[in-house]
Amino acid sequence: MPDPSLTTLILLALAGLTAGFVDAVVGGGGLIQLPALLVGLPGASPVQVLATNKLGSICGTTVSSATYYRRVRPDLRAALPLMALAFVGSILGALVASHLPASVFEPVVLVALVLVGAYVLLKPSLGAETALRFAGWRHVAAVVGTGLVVGFYDGALGPGTGSFFVFALVGLLGYAFLEASAKARMANWATNLAALVVFVPQGAVLWKVGLLMGAANLLGGYLGARTAIARGSGFVRVFFVLVVAAFVVRIGGEQIGLW
């Protein structure tokens, strides 16, 4: 594949910066970064695009996870099992990614996003403060299940992973949006790492593009995490609804052939 032009690299870096910011606040940076890679690298194979996207994303999730941890101090008794099972799920998803086309997932993802967005809109008090729905082993089981299922989705397809993590932590477990976003970034870091464990040995990563987008994603992730922490759960909730709506429009448009 020929090297991309300077203009293409600049546009990809801007996409990485924006994606990092969105991802750090509520997830969903793939809505920006993946299409940018597909347009900017028309000669790349699907697995190269997925692998390069993961390299860019892990840079952003690294800095946003560290920022959230220092300032929010999420409970590691829940965060670490979530990360561990998300890692396992993402490896399993990445292993089957080449065998399952995106068309298998997209109708299911579209329905899930519509339900998630409607649920959050109809319950304005949801995620305003942490009120855990489970205790003891039930809480751990819910965390483990969330990590495994969402992690598998991220390894197999990816876009919207952070948003699904946030919703599961808020809607299923009862965390406030800010606390959920902190845990989601840590779990998303684990899923990105797991996917790279599969993709790097395959030689699928386009390192020059991936590291450039990673640097931009890192800056965006830092700015997004700082913004979310400063503005609190109310801001994260509004941002969440907007990102979910954007996903519904994009995936719904693909399903009915608008683009």
Side-chain angles (χ1 to χ4, degrees):
M1 191 190 79
D3 285 342
S5 66
L6 178 60
T7 301
T8 298
L9 290 175
I10 292 172
L11 292 174
L12 289 175
L14 289 173
L17 177 69
T18 308
F21 183 92
V22 172
D23 234 7
V25 177
V26 75
L31 177 68
I32 301 162
Q33 194 161 275
L34 265 178
L37 283 166
L38 288 169
V39 172
L41 305 175
S45 66
V47 71
Q48 285 178 315
V49 171
L50 284 173
T52 305
N53 177 59
K54 292 301 182 187
L55 177 60
S57 296
I58 198 171
C59 297
T61 52
T62 297
V63 71
S64 59
S65 295
T67 303
Y68 272 116
Y69 181 74
R70 286 198 308 270
R71 295 178 177 271
V72 177
R73 293 292 179 181
D75 184 2
L76 292 181
R77 291 174 297 179
L80 292 179
L82 180 70
M83 292 172 70
L85 270 295
F87 183 91
V88 173
S90 185
I91 285 184
L92 295 175
L95 289 173
V96 303
S98 59
H99 304 291
L100 293 176
S103 57
V104 172
F105 290 94
E106 288 188 344
V108 177
V109 173
L110 179 60
V111 172
L113 286 169
V114 170
L115 294 175
V116 163
Y119 186 72
V120 173
L121 280 173
L122 293 172
K123 296 198 70 172
S125 63
L126 185 71
E129 58 184 27
T130 295
L132 297 182
R133 293 180 174 82
F134 307 105
W137 68 267
R138 291 186 178 181
H139 181 77
V140 175
V143 167
V144 166
T146 296
L148 190 61
V149 172
V150 182
F152 180 88
Y153 167 77
D154 188 45
L157 190 59
T161 296
S163 298
F164 284 127
F165 269 128
V166 170
F167 176 74
L169 290 166
V170 172
L172 176 63
L173 279 85
Y175 285 103
F177 268 105
L178 186 61
E179 174 83 3
S181 196
K183 288 182 169 64
R185 295 291 65 71
M186 297 168 73
N188 212 171
W189 176 85
T191 62
N192 287 333
L193 178 63
L196 287 172
V197 167
V198 175
F199 289 138
V200 169
Q202 295 175 355
V205 178
L206 301 175
W207 290 97
K208 180 179 178 180
V209 175
L211 290 173
L212 173 67
M213 293 193 80
N217 203 291
L218 186 151
L219 177 59
Y222 176 74
L223 295 174
R226 290 293 297 267
T227 302
I229 292 165
R231 292 179 175 267
S233 287
F235 171 77
V236 177
R237 180 183 187 276
V238 172
F239 213 88
F240 176 85
V241 172
L242 292 174
V243 169
V244 168
F247 266 108
V248 169
V249 171
R250 177 178 170 241
I251 297 176
E254 289 177 348
Q255 293 298 301
I256 63 177
L258 289 180
W259 42 73

